């Protein structure tokens, strides 16, 4: 199965994902974030009625659809996966959401009031290039709201153990702040989600294991094994402090 075919994953994992989150906390996000954390980050970034929001690597856009529905922002979600964007468009229904299929970078022409990047900063090896593009897409006073997997780069042994390790590029808070600073962005808020996301990862891994037969029927046994292996590594790393998870907002001066 091609990894960019998101529909079987969406169908196969849905029941387990719903059961792993607290009531009302699963809104279609493909991440460890909860609905409450998405709302809190949006509030810190000043997302509200009429605010233009660019959501990078939006996937099936659970967070984007939530925010568009609840706060009335002007939303554009971008993702490289055509199948993910197709699901996002279908789920958006009558919501005033727009979507585009594109590799990031480059970014769509701005300016935007807010750029979102949720749970995918780790996928970009060249964070300087990404942040420069984001800063250029922001209006003066615009905000970059994102999550960060914080830590030193993976060792050779860790890369061998992590499925799809070529999409896991960790960086330190200091390095991230320096990268933001070089692009003219200043961190105005941050919050540590490490403990909470370790708990969510544990709940997801348990739910996936409990529903293994049904999930494997949709995505195959090997894909399920890789999914469980990755979650177990994140649980270990978050529990031990090898990796920390942060939500941050940085403002363009």
């Amino acid at each position: 199965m091609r990894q960019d075919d998101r529909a079987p994953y969406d169908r196969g994992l849905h029941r387990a994902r719903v059961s792993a989150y607290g009531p009302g906390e699963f809104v279609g996000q493909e991440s460890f974030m909860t609905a409450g954390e998405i709302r809190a980050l949006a509030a810190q970034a000043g997302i509200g009625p009429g605010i233009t929001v660019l959501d990078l690597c939006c996937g099936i856009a659970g967070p984007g659809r939530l925010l568009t529905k609840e706060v009335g922002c002007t939303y554009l979600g971008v993702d490289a996966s055509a199948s993910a964007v197709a699901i996002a468009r279908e789920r958006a229904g009558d919501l005033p959401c727009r979507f585009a299929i594109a590799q990031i970078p480059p970014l769509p022409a701005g300016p935007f009031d807010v750029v979102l990047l949720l749970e995918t900063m780790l996928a970009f090896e060249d964070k300087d290039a990404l942040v420069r593009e984001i800063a250029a897409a922001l209006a003066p006073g615009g905000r970059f709201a994102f999550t960060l997997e914080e830590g030193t780069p993976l060792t050779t042994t860790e890369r061998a153990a992590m499925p799809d390790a070529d999409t896991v590029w960790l960086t330190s808070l200091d390095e991230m702040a320096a990268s933001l600073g070089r692009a003219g962005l200043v961190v105005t808020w941050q919050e540590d989600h490490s403990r909470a996301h370790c708990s969510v990862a544990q709940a997801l891994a348990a739910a996936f294991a409990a529903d293994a037969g049904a999930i494997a029927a949709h995505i195959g046994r090997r894909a399920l094994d890789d999914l469980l292996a990755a979650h177990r590594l994140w649980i270990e790393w978050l529990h031990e402090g090898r990796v920390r998870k942060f939500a941050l907002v940085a403002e363009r001066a």
Side-chain angles (χ1 to χ4, degrees):
M1 181 184 299
R2 294 179 307 156
Q3 288 189 342
D4 67 350
D5 188 1
R6 202 72 63 89
Y9 285 82
D10 180 66
R11 291 192 300 267
L13 302 181
H14 180 78
R15 181 169 61 187
R17 283 171 166 162
V18 170
S19 71
Y21 286 87
E25 293 295 337
F26 179 70
V27 292
Q29 64 271 35
E30 300 170 292
S31 71
F32 298 155
M33 295 189 82
T34 63
E37 290 169 350
I38 294 164
R39 292 186 182 102
L41 180 59
Q44 292 293 335
I47 297 177
I51 295 296
T52 54
V53 176
L54 172 63
D55 186 6
L56 302 177
C57 306
C58 68
I60 65 170
R65 288 181 277 115
L66 172 72
L67 296 177
T68 304
K69 180 179 180 180
E70 292 190 351
V71 304
C73 57
T74 300
Y75 176 87
L76 172 60
V78 180
D79 199 275
S81 169
S83 64
V85 169
I87 295 169
R89 284 188 173 127
E90 180 183 1
R91 300 266 170 87
D94 294 333
L95 289 171
C97 298
R98 294 182 299 127
F99 298 98
I101 302 166
Q103 293 285 342
I104 300 297
L107 273 62
F112 298 93
D113 297 315
V114 176
V115 173
L116 283 177
L117 182 69
L118 304 182
E119 304 287 78
T120 45
M121 179 62 82
L122 79 169
F124 293 90
E125 183 176 7
D126 189 347
K127 298 186 191 331
D128 266 347
L130 174 68
V131 170
R132 284 195 304 271
E133 292 252 0
I134 289 169
L138 285 170
R143 285 82 61 198
F144 175 33
F146 65 105
T147 57
L148 176 70
E149 295 79 11
E150 195 265 356
T152 57
L154 297 185
T155 65
T156 301
T157 301
E158 289 169 336
R159 287 202 165 277
M162 170 59 78
D164 295 324
D166 59 338
T167 64
V168 181
W169 304 100
L170 304 176
T171 192
S172 70
L173 269 177
D174 287 345
E175 289 170 341
M176 191 73 247
S179 184
L180 293 166
R182 286 190 289 270
L185 300 172
V186 178
V187 175
T188 58
W189 177 83
Q190 70 180 47
E191 188 168 80
D192 191 331
H193 289 172
S194 304
R195 183 174 296 181
H197 284 200
C198 184
S199 295
V200 171
Q202 290 172 323
L204 283 167
F208 294 155
D211 204 22
I215 294 172
H218 283 89
I219 68 173
R221 187 71 216 189
R222 177 168 182 176
L224 173 60
D225 289 344
D226 284 350
L227 185 71
L228 288 170
H231 277 70
R232 287 165 183 153
L233 279 172
W234 286 120
I235 292 165
E236 177 185 333
W237 293 346
L238 288 165
H239 178 70
E240 295 178 352
R242 166 67 180 87
V243 177
R244 294 188 296 168
K245 288 291 297 293
F246 288 92
L248 301 99
V249 176
E251 184 171 325
R252 180 181 170 189

